[in-house]
Amino acid sequence: MNRLTLASRIRKHVVRLCLPLLGALALAACTTTSEDPVEQEIRAQANDPAEAANRYIFDVDMAVWDITVNPIAEVYNDAIPEPYRNGIRNLLENLQMPSTIINSALQGDWENTVDASVSFLINTTAGLGGIFDIPGNFDKEPRKEDFGQTLAVWGFDEGPYIVLPLIGPSTARDTVGLGVGILTDPLTYVLSPTLSYARSGTSLIQSSGDQQEGLADLRQTSIDFYAAVRSLYRQNRNARISNGESDPFGFDDDW
């Protein structure tokens, strides 16, 4: 057998082996480019370009919550009577009031700045650090404001949807707002590291306890739990930015 004949046979075998692979690649390309226009529109509206990664982080977050946070929150709800839980909630919300004061001023919302300042002063003194929400009993509760809302008022677009590890739903704008909010919160520099961790941990357990029932119902009734949480998060943030009401599931600060 001469070299030309051998080379010809080798080429034939290579072509035969490559044809199925080329066919598969072509089929995949056709499938990708022929995506349903409705699905393309849904993806565009969701503004979730990293959806695959976000879904993975979301699943990990939910697993961590199911294993650690939710059981602790159940014990917390069962062991501590509701009046005491309300007092803890009031205290935590009062500790967030300096951030509301700063961001209300940055947004030029002087009415809410004054309301938040008065509420913080009264609750910190007469309310024993905020355990008793005195202005709230007279329907004088100021709106919560954060730097993510401030950026929205300043005209910054929300950017793509993001799921943060162990934090949950966010957007590019809210992620920046979260970082700046921590740096501009006066209590970040007043509280010791131990008290800061205790504050964050207690807030996490409190919010988880408040949201447990709503999240459980949403998980059971929604076809796509991830998409449902994404939609509710955006609805709540838009409502807060426009000074509307929060969503019924309680996605106020944490999820």
Side-chain angles (χ1 to χ4, degrees):
M1 183 181 301
N2 58 41
R3 290 184 178 181
L4 292 177
T5 304
L6 178 60
S8 177
R9 290 187 177 181
I10 292 175
R11 283 197 298 270
K12 288 182 181 180
H13 283 295
V14 170
V15 171
R16 288 175 182 175
L17 290 173
C18 289
L19 280 177
L21 178 59
L22 292 173
L25 291 174
L27 180 61
C30 292
T31 302
T32 302
T33 56
S34 62
E35 186 181 32
D36 185 5
V38 176
E39 292 185 8
Q40 291 180 343
E41 179 65 21
I42 292 174
R43 290 180 184 276
Q45 291 179 355
N47 195 13
D48 190 0
E51 182 172 344
N54 282 335
R55 283 183 178 272
Y56 176 78
I57 297 173
F58 178 80
D59 290 340
V60 172
D61 283 350
M62 292 308 304
V64 172
W65 275 55
D66 289 341
I67 294 172
T68 59
V69 179
N70 286 339
I72 297 174
E74 289 180 4
V75 173
Y76 173 83
N77 284 341
D78 294 338
I80 300 180
E82 184 175 358
Y84 293 97
R85 296 202 307 272
N86 290 337
I88 295 173
R89 183 185 301 106
N90 293 338
L91 173 63
L92 293 171
E93 290 182 353
N94 191 56
L95 290 176
Q96 294 177 345
M97 203 58 67
S99 178
T100 289
I101 296 171
I102 293 173
N103 283 287
S104 295
L106 290 174
Q107 295 172 27
D109 188 347
W110 305 116
E111 180 179 355
N112 201 59
T113 302
V114 172
D115 289 345
S117 300
V118 172
S119 176
F120 182 67
L121 177 63
I122 293 175
N123 284 337
T124 302
T125 54
L128 301 180
I131 295 176
F132 301 100
D133 183 12
I134 297 175
N137 293 327
F138 296 94
D139 296 328
K140 294 293 183 180
E141 189 72 23
R143 295 184 307 275
K144 295 179 183 178
E145 300 291 342
D146 55 51
F147 196 70
Q149 292 168 263
T150 298
L151 290 175
V153 172
W154 288 353
F156 286 88
D157 187 74
E158 70 170 14
Y161 180 75
I162 301 172
V163 179
L164 299 175
L166 303 181
I167 295 178
S170 185
T171 61
R173 182 181 63 202
D174 287 344
T175 300
V176 173
L178 176 64
V180 174
I182 293 173
L183 294 176
T184 57
D185 184 358
L187 294 178
T188 300
Y189 308 98
V190 174
L191 299 179
S192 66
T194 302
L195 289 177
S196 294
Y197 294 144
R199 171 193 176 192
S200 300
T202 305
S203 178
L204 178 64
I205 299 303
Q206 177 71 53
S207 63
S208 176
D210 291 342
Q211 299 166 12
Q212 261 191 335
E213 185 176 350
L215 277 173
D217 291 342
L218 183 64
R219 181 182 285 188
Q220 291 178 355
T221 57
S222 60
I223 298 176
D224 187 343
F225 185 41
Y226 169 86
V229 170
R230 180 179 60 193
S231 176
L232 282 175
Y233 176 80
R234 280 198 167 118
Q235 289 177 40
N236 177 64
R237 291 300 291 173
N238 290 335
R240 292 186 62 185
I241 290 168
S242 61
N243 298 330
E245 296 295 330
S246 298
D247 71 272
F249 291 100
F251 290 87
D252 283 337
D253 298 296
D254 305 299
W255 64 288

